[in-house]
Amino acid sequence: MKTPFVVLLGLLLAGAGAAASAAEVTLEGNHLVVTGMLDGSAMKAFTDHLASGKVRTVVFENSLGGTAEVAGDYARAIQATGVNTEARGQCYAACAYAFLAGKEHRFGRGFQINGLLIPVGTRPQPGELTNRWRGDGAQKTLAEFITAPADGPQPTAAAVAAVPASAPKERWQPDHGVLFTSTPTLFGRVYNSFYCDGTQGRDMSRCEVLSDADPYKLGVLSP
């Protein structure tokens, strides 16, 4: 019999498959809310809002992926303006890298289950997790998902920052990565971390639980 947490986690991932719409941006006070796939369609509106100086926090709400190249565009815009980021509901793949670019990055409050899926090429070893998503670590990991030309080396983090829109060919793998979840309970939020190899589909109860992978200690969430 599945535990209530596993059932909730299943609902979280079931909802992930339901929304594949293009990105939309909405200004709510000093919060800029981004929903949908980061496909570049809302990039101009996003940067225009940031340039206004009114935005303090970029909120990614149920943003379920996108392209590696657009993830870099969002991340650079966020870093350049020094705004904070927040994830409400699900924030996967491209969204996760944009989220990590915030000056401070946190999960949203409320009664929803929050999930952050950071794609990785292989199962991270315990020693790798410590600094993998701190500072430039997130950009280095993003570089793993941009295919270099056949006659050239794999791109560095600096190369990712300069890559033109027409150049990259992303290698995202659906539902494959490290998943951090935050579930509301009567006694506060419960945080869990998993490694998902992609074979589990929407059944996240088949993902491997990662021990000693607290998102705050790893720098994935800001205190």
Side-chain angles (χ1 to χ4, degrees):
M1 184 175 181
K2 293 186 176 181
T3 65
F5 171 71
V6 170
V7 172
L8 286 171
L9 191 56
L11 292 174
L12 169 74
L13 270 297
S21 58
E24 295 183 4
V25 297
T26 306
L27 187 63
E28 299 179 358
N30 59 9
H31 285 59
L32 184 59
V33 180
V34 181
T35 58
M37 303 283 285
L38 301 188
D39 59 357
S41 59
M43 194 67 221
K44 185 179 186 306
F46 181 77
T47 54
D48 285 348
H49 279 300
L50 289 184
S52 73
K54 298 177 181 179
V55 178
R56 295 292 175 267
T57 302
V58 172
V59 179
F60 292 102
E61 184 168 13
N62 295 325
S63 181
L64 305 171
T67 69
E69 180 262 321
V70 174
D73 288 343
Y74 272 82
R76 284 188 290 274
I78 289 168
Q79 288 178 325
T81 50
V83 296
N84 299 325
T85 53
E86 179 180 311
R88 295 179 191 164
Q90 298 90 56
C91 178
Y92 287 7
C95 175
Y97 286 111
F99 168 79
L100 290 171
K103 183 178 181 180
E104 296 180 347
H105 27 91
R106 298 184 171 90
F107 275 155
R109 298 180 179 180
F111 297 104
Q112 77 281 349
I113 303 172
N114 297 317
L116 183 76
L117 181 71
I118 306 176
V120 296
T122 58
R123 184 192 186 286
Q125 299 301 311
E128 289 183 277
L129 288 172
T130 305
N131 295 306
R132 185 160 190 149
W133 298 299
R134 294 181 186 275
D136 292 337
Q139 291 302 317
K140 290 177 182 177
T141 306
L142 178 60
E144 296 175 5
F145 293 89
I146 297 179
T147 304
D151 58 349
Q154 287 294 320
T156 63
V160 171
V163 74
S166 60
K169 187 185 251 188
E170 68 272 6
R171 295 181 291 168
W172 305 109
Q173 299 181 52
D175 304 322
H176 180 197
V178 177
L179 174 67
F180 297 95
T181 65
S182 171
T183 307
T185 71
L186 293 175
F187 307 100
R189 283 191 167 269
V190 174
Y191 294 85
N192 290 276
S193 305
F194 305 86
Y195 170 67
C196 306
D197 64 8
T199 62
Q200 77 289 331
R202 299 298 176 189
D203 183 5
M204 303 311 279
S205 65
R206 295 168 55 194
C207 294
E208 176 188 355
V209 176
L210 293 176
S211 59
D212 198 24
D214 183 285
Y216 288 100
K217 291 181 180 179
L218 299 181
V220 172
L221 296 179
S222 300

